[in-house]
Amino acid sequence: MGSSRRSTPEAELAEALRTGPFSAALRAALAARGLALHRVQHRLAQRGIRVGVTSLSYWQRGVRRPERPESLRAVAALEEVLELPPHALTRLIGPRATSGHPAARPYRTLLEPAAAVESLLASLAAPADGGLHTVIHYEHVHIGAHRELAARDSQHVVRAHRDGVDRYLAIYHGDPGCDTERVRVCSLGNCRVGRIRRHGASGVIVVELLFDGRLRVGETAVLGYRFEDGTGAPSHEYVRGFTYGGGQYVLQVGFDRAVLPVHCRRFARPSATAPREAVADLTLNAHGSVHLLEQQIRPGVLGITWEWD
């Protein structure tokens, strides 16, 4: 009979320090040293560093990361308290959002059911900065024979702007009447479906799409995924919110040939509640679809709306 050896805390710490992310390395260091957060806070205070237990908890859970100068000094002191080599933790923090990439817009400015989205993200302990931004995103929305949003396919190229990112969180917002329990999520390539959170009252779903490994700053990943729906009321528009600027976006809406709209338009909005701007007519092609192309994404909302006869 074969036997397997369980990883020791020191081995797990060594691996976490090698691969990151910062939050995992900090958790592993605390576990290996057997130190509670209030003890760590006390030892930092002895070195003249004041940091709250709440902040330490956020750091180890990945909810926030240290970026301010005083926080970075605290991380350097943490390396001493936890008996780690110099820069073992600081090198895993990655570039500051203000220097390497613009800060993300909050979801409440982009999505009307923002409270539901933020609640689902919190249930997944999602950090405020997911560490990824779009290089190219192609979405194909399928409208079925009953005018319903039948499915949404995405081919997405993302780039990491911090070390250690191993997942992408995809958000889906169904049309009114959407039954989130019947919406199916599947991978189309280069990712695995992880945890799924559903908010039935608002028709929102958040899903983890897991990579095979952790990305370092500047590395890219290509992933494909699909939401299969068909449970909502007749659809009249599709919108996509962007928390970051940069990258390219293509949205194609394809209609069942038996039920075609009479008028289609593209539009943009700087926020979820702002009036539509940059409105332009779109012409259905011979295959029953329309599309928009945005060469340089700006934070805000892009979408296509259509009218039935």
Side-chain angles (χ1 to χ4, degrees), residues 16-296:
L17 290 175
R18 185 179 68 84
T19 62
F22 169 79
S23 56
L26 179 55
R27 286 196 305 272
L30 291 167
R33 303 297 180 252
L35 287 175
L37 293 182
H38 71 276
R39 293 300 304 161
V40 173
Q41 181 194 38
H42 177 69
R43 296 189 183 185
L44 289 173
Q46 290 178 324
R47 289 167 169 78
I49 302 292
R50 295 187 177 276
V51 60
V53 170
T54 300
S55 293
L56 292 171
S57 177
Y58 283 165
W59 293 353
Q60 71 160 345
R61 289 161 49 204
V63 176
R64 294 179 186 169
R65 64 174 181 169
E67 288 191 336
R68 295 181 300 174
E70 56 269 31
S71 297
L72 297 177
R73 287 193 295 271
V75 174
L78 268 174
E79 293 165 347
E80 295 180 12
V81 169
L82 298 172
E83 301 174 5
L84 302 175
H87 311 300
L89 292 175
T90 51
R91 74 173 189 85
L92 296 174
I93 296 173
R96 295 183 64 186
T98 53
S99 59
H101 195 79
R105 288 268 299 275
Y107 283 106
R108 63 179 175 272
T109 68
L110 302 176
L111 301 171
E112 292 181 355
V117 172
E118 291 172 348
S119 173
L120 296 183
L121 291 171
S123 74
L124 294 170
D129 176 7
L132 297 169
H133 57 273
T134 293
V135 180
I136 302 170
H137 191 177
Y138 168 69
E139 285 194 303
H140 188 177
V141 174
H142 304 267
I143 305 299
H146 300 287
R147 302 180 177 180
E148 81 285 7
L149 198 165
R152 188 192 93 191
D153 297 337
S154 285
Q155 294 293 328
H156 204 165
V157 182
V158 294
R159 175 175 284 117
H161 53 262
R162 62 176 172 83
D163 285 333
V165 182
D166 65 354
R167 69 200 58 205
Y168 172 75
L169 295 180
I171 299 170
Y172 179 80
H173 183 205
D175 283 319
C178 167
D179 182 351
T180 57
E181 294 300 324
R182 292 167 55 198
V183 175
R184 180 170 175 262
V185 188
C186 57
S187 166
L188 301 179
N190 301 317
C191 62
R192 292 174 289 112
V193 176
R195 295 175 293 174
I196 301 175
R197 297 290 185 266
R198 306 171 193 264
H199 192 276
S202 61
V204 172
I205 299 172
V206 176
V207 57
E208 286 182 324
L209 299 169
L210 307 173
F211 306 147
D212 291 334
R214 300 182 186 277
L215 301 180
R216 295 193 178 277
V217 172
E219 290 185 333
T220 56
V222 181
L223 60 154
Y225 50 97
R226 163 178 272 220
F227 289 89
E228 295 180 354
D229 190 352
T231 67
S235 187
H236 293 274
E237 69 175 18
Y238 180 80
V239 298
R240 158 66 61 175
F242 296 94
T243 57
Y244 288 114
Q248 294 183 337
Y249 175 65
V250 179
L251 169 60
Q252 180 177 210
V253 181
F255 300 90
D256 188 284
R257 297 297 298 277
V259 186
L260 296 176
V262 295
H263 203 175
C264 300
R265 298 182 181 89
R266 62 164 291 165
F267 65 90
R269 285 199 298 254
S271 70
T273 58
R276 292 176 179 174
E277 56 187 45
V279 178
D281 291 338
L282 298 175
T283 301
L284 280 168
N285 63 23
H287 303 281
S289 71
V290 292
H291 76 276
L292 66 79
L293 165 64
E294 192 73 10
Q295 294 278 13
Q296 185 73 14

